């Protein structure tokens, strides 16, 4: 697509990147077929091709409007379009640039600004965990809409303290320890079972995704730099990998090298961190042989049928789709993908389910309909956001796949 940036954007830090991405797009429209919001709204401006054209118009000098902002906001950033695109258009990075430019031109209503500020502050606050505990204690008396965001409290169990020669770093996350602590402890137990010690750097916090995707790029970058500082001594001492058990965090940390490429102090370290980062599912194929000797096949079968939902941040953002499915099947679990639309977003999408509740709920119920068609005893996924969002719409337990694996280890 021929593109000529307006003078005021030629000095934009990512001007060359935006222009190169725009020029890759041939406007073929293949992306619209796999875009959840285009399927829901049937509006070209709510599909990737339309959003790309809107960003192009703004960068070429046409004024952004509130309508432009709304169409970009309604994107889930699921990146399904990237998996579909035959031209390799880097839509996710273009959207980051476009949203930032539009938000500079269009002031949001006060209610939106307050909600976004509350999300940026609240999800990263030290008060989040105690507030979640209070919410869980009072859960049965909370309004249904609030209950949906407050999962029932579960005992995380014991954390192994065995020292191993092999070590990996793990990001605990900002909301996961409070909302679903068993995911982290189960990860540590499974790693311990294969002879790997988990190291958590206490100074590492939020991966930066919440602030970065709510157009607080500098706030997000500050969190990224803090994590790099917290991890660097361990990297220098030889950890094998930085393990992510929340695919939303994983896709962000794998992008540190890109986001901080222009930082003279952190660029090289950021790329090293990205290169070391692995989703938990990437390591699963290497563990199957050892884990087979550590699990009880009868207990694995007793779990019943598992319906697997691969998060968008895993299958589209990181290009990882079948690792969990194949690994769990090899270990003796009865697990399957939905027969329809397994590639589509469940509607969670980070803070999207809070900012666009109606759309998120529609997508959730559509996703659950396909998953429930498998008659599963448990739905499994790989991201805390998807797990919480899906659980809010069904009585069927929704778990991280590593929790299910952990419960059958002997």
């Amino acid at each position: 697509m021929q593109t000529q940036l307006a003078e005021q954007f030629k000095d934009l830090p990512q001007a060359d990147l935006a222009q190169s991405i725009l020029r890759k797009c041939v406007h073929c429209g293949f992306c619209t077929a796999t875009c959840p919001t285009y399927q829901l709204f049937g509006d070209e401006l709510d599909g990737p091709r339309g959003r790309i054209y809107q960003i192009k118009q703004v960068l070429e000098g046409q004024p952004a409007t509130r309508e432009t902002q709304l169409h970009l906001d309604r994107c889930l950033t699921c990146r399904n379009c990237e998996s579909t695109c035959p031209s390799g258009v880097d839509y996710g990075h273009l959207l980051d640039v476009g949203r930032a430019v539009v938000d500079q031109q269009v002031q949001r209503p006060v209610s939106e600004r307050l909600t976004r500020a509350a999300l940026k502050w609240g999800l990263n606050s030290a008060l989040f965990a105690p507030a979640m505990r209070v919410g869980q204690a009072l859960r049965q008396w909370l309004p249904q809409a609030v209950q949906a965001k407050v999962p029932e409290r579960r005992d995380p169990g014991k954390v192994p303290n065995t020292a191993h020669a092999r070590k990996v770093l793990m990001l605990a996350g900002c909301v996961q320890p409070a909302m679903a602590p068993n995911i982290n402890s189960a990860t540590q137990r499974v790693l311990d079972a294969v002879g790997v010690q988990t190291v958590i750097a206490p100074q590492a916090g939020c991966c930066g995704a919440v602030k970065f995707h709510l157009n607080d790029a500098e706030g997000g970058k500050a969190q990224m730099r803090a994590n790099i500082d917290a991890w660097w001594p361990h990297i220098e001492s030889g950890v094998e990998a930085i393990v992510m058990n929340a695919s939303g965090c994983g896709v962000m940390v794998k992008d540190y090298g890109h986001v901080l490429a222009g930082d003279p102090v952190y660029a090289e370290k950021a790329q090293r961190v990205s290169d070391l980062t692995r989703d938990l599912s990437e390591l699963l194929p290497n563990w199957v042989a050892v884990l087979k000797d550590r699990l009880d096949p009868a207990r694995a079968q007793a779990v019943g049928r598992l319906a697997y939902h691969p998060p968008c941040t895993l299958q589209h953002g990181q290009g990882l789709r079948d690792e969990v499915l194949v690994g769990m099947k090899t270990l003796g679990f009865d697990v399957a993908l939905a027969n329809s639309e397994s590639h589509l977003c469940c509607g969670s999408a980070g803070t999207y389910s809070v900012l666009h509740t109606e759309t998120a709920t529609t997508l959730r119920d559509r996703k659950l309909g396909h998953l429930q068609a498998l008659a599963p005893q448990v739905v499994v996924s790989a991201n805390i956001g998807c797990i919480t969002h899906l659980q809010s719409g069904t009585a069927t337990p929704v778990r991280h796949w590593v929790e299910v694996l952990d419960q059958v280890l002997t």
Side-chain angles (χ1 to χ4, degrees), residues 170-173 175-176 183-184 187 207 243-253 278-280 311 313-314 318 382-385 387 400:
M170 184 180 77
L171 178 65
V175 301
Q176 187 163 279
I183 295 175
N184 284 347
T187 300
C207 66
V243 173
M244 299 288 156
N245 56 17
S247 60
C249 297
V251 75
M252 184 77 262
V253 179
R278 299 286 183 273
D279 184 81
L280 192 61
T313 44
L314 192 65
Q318 300 183 55
N383 188 55
I384 180 63
I387 292 166
H400 195 292

Side-chain angles (χ1 to χ4, degrees), residues 4 11-12 17 38 104-105 146 172 190 209 263 303 345 373 391 404:
Q4 295 296 329
D11 293 330
L12 195 72
L17 172 69
Y38 180 79
Q104 287 174 359
Q105 296 184 27
V146 180
V190 170
D263 188 315
V303 169
C345 184
Q391 188 67 85
V404 177

Side-chain angles (χ1 to χ4, degrees), residues 94-114:
L94 177 65
L95 185 67
D96 288 338
V97 175
R99 280 174 165 168
V101 170
V102 169
D103 276 11
Q104 287 174 359
Q105 296 184 27
V106 181
Q107 187 173 35
R108 294 182 178 278
V110 173
S111 59
E112 280 190 21
R113 297 203 303 272
L114 290 174

Side-chain angles (χ1 to χ4, degrees), residues 67-78:
E67 185 179 359
T68 310
Q69 190 177 57
L70 289 172
H71 287 304
L72 298 188
D73 280 353
R74 278 203 286 261
C75 176
L76 292 138
T77 325
C78 68

Side-chain angles (χ1 to χ4, degrees), residues 111-184:
S111 59
E112 280 190 21
R113 297 203 303 272
L114 290 174
T115 301
R116 286 168 168 257
L119 288 168
K120 286 190 289 186
W121 178 84
L123 295 177
N124 290 277
S125 171
L127 297 176
F128 181 82
M132 181 59 64
R133 285 195 291 271
V134 171
Q136 288 171 328
L138 302 175
R139 189 175 186 275
Q140 61 180 313
W141 295 288
L142 296 175
Q144 190 63 40
V146 180
Q147 280 190 30
K149 303 299 179 187
V150 181
E152 293 182 359
R153 181 73 176 172
R154 297 179 63 209
D155 181 5
K158 294 181 179 179
V159 175
N161 56 12
T162 307
H164 295 286
R166 298 176 62 192
K167 294 180 174 63
V168 295
L169 279 163
M170 184 180 77
L171 178 65
C174 51
V175 301
Q176 187 163 279
M179 297 181 74
N182 192 56
I183 295 175
N184 284 347

Side-chain angles (χ1 to χ4, degrees), residues 78-79 82-83 247 250-251 254 279 281-282 308 310-323:
C78 68
R79 296 169 66 176
E82 292 184 19
S83 296
S247 60
V251 75
K254 285 185 176 184
D279 184 81
S281 65
E282 289 181 82
Y308 174 50
C312 297
T313 44
L314 192 65
Q315 62 174 322
H316 304 305
Q318 300 183 55
L320 302 168
R321 179 174 170 84
D322 296 328
E323 285 77 6

